[in-house]
Amino acid sequence: GYPYLMCVDNDVLMDENAMGSLYSFLEQHGDVGIAGSKVYHMEEPDYVQQFGLKIDFDNFCTEGHYHNFKEDGSMPEYLSCDCVAACSLMIRRSLIKEIGFMPEENFLYWDDTEWCYRCTQAGYKVVSLGSSMVLHAMGAKRELDNTFPTYYAWRNWIKFFLKYTPENRLDAMAETFLDSMFQVVYQGIHKGKKN
């Protein structure tokens, strides 16, 4: 019977008002389906890790709002965006009945991106809220030590854009993926980084 569900990663420390701020915002804004926290780096808590993301269908990537910006109080109170990090987000339970649960097939990466994209397709907004603050470690995703996350990051990136890119843009998408893959593999071989 709860009207909202909350997602919180196990490598997050939440401000005491983080969850209450998301709840209050959703209560006051019926057109918002998902509200996410403003995420700061655990190791550098004055710097923003993520304040929502933009999905860029021209360049087939995502762009973080205020990524690595130092907190100086000048950022907006909240941002309407394409997606927020699942490390700390609140979603309407009624929306889950429309769009389903977070896609489990997108293990580790892009699950939150697709969930938020489904939210906007259903006619609801996605918002990142500045008064809901969390610190995020991201310790489990050390790509230099382990190729496991790298595989899922690439696989799910490609799967997302294959699924949602209009057919007339598929050639441009394939070119972007192949160019990116060439750059990464070439640079890896050149620098001796086999991962």
Side-chain angles (χ1 to χ4, degrees):
Y2 293 107
Y4 306 104
L5 294 178
M6 183 80 193
C7 296
V8 182
D9 279 3
N10 62 355
D11 57 354
V12 161
L13 291 176
M14 302 181 80
D15 178 79
E16 62 185 8
N17 299 312
M19 197 178 299
S21 293
L22 295 175
Y23 170 78
S24 296
F25 192 88
L26 287 170
E27 283 285 287
Q28 294 166 18
H29 299 85
D31 58 339
V32 176
I34 295 176
S37 298
K38 188 176 190 180
V39 183
Y40 295 85
H41 292 283
M42 184 78 74
E43 303 79 14
E44 295 181 277
D46 292 335
Y47 289 86
V48 175
Q49 189 180 93
Q50 191 186 119
F51 192 21
L53 290 170
K54 175 188 180 207
I55 302 172
D56 182 351
F57 278 96
D58 291 329
N59 298 298
F60 309 101
C61 63
T62 58
E63 297 173 14
H65 300 293
Y66 297 99
H67 178 66
N68 287 334
F69 272 58
K70 185 170 183 173
E71 181 59 76
D72 62 1
S74 67
M75 292 175 230
E77 196 176 311
Y78 67 90
L79 280 176
S80 289
C81 49
D82 293 327
C83 62
V84 292
C87 68
S88 178
L89 71 74
M90 190 174 285
I91 183 170
R92 294 181 187 281
R93 198 168 130 247
S94 58
L95 179 60
I96 293 174
K97 290 181 179 179
E98 287 185 53
I99 67 171
F101 285 103
M102 188 182 294
E104 291 182 41
E105 64 273 12
N106 292 2
F107 175 70
L108 198 58
Y109 289 108
W110 290 85
D111 45 0
D112 45 9
T113 307
E114 183 165 356
W115 211 22
C116 290
Y117 189 68
R118 288 183 193 170
C119 173
T120 57
Q121 285 186 315
Y124 291 90
K125 292 179 182 174
V126 175
V127 166
S128 190
L129 186 60
S131 60
S132 175
M133 297 176 285
V134 301
L135 299 174
H136 188 211
M138 290 186 69
K141 300 178 181 176
R142 295 184 60 191
E143 287 88 348
L144 295 176
D145 302 331
N146 183 353
T147 59
F148 179 79
T150 304
Y151 166 77
Y152 284 106
W154 279 76
R155 184 197 76 164
N156 295 346
W157 169 47
I158 292 168
K159 278 178 63 179
F160 175 85
F161 283 105
L162 272 174
K163 189 172 183 178
Y164 294 107
T165 298
E167 193 170 340
N168 65 340
R169 296 277 297 140
L170 289 177
D171 285 348
M173 183 199 70
E175 188 176 326
T176 298
F177 290 156
L178 291 171
D179 182 60
S180 298
M181 195 169 292
F182 172 78
Q183 294 295 330
V184 168
V185 171
Y186 179 81
Q187 288 176 15
I189 292 170
H190 180 70
K191 294 178 179 178
K193 295 183 177 179
K194 294 184 169 62
N195 62 309

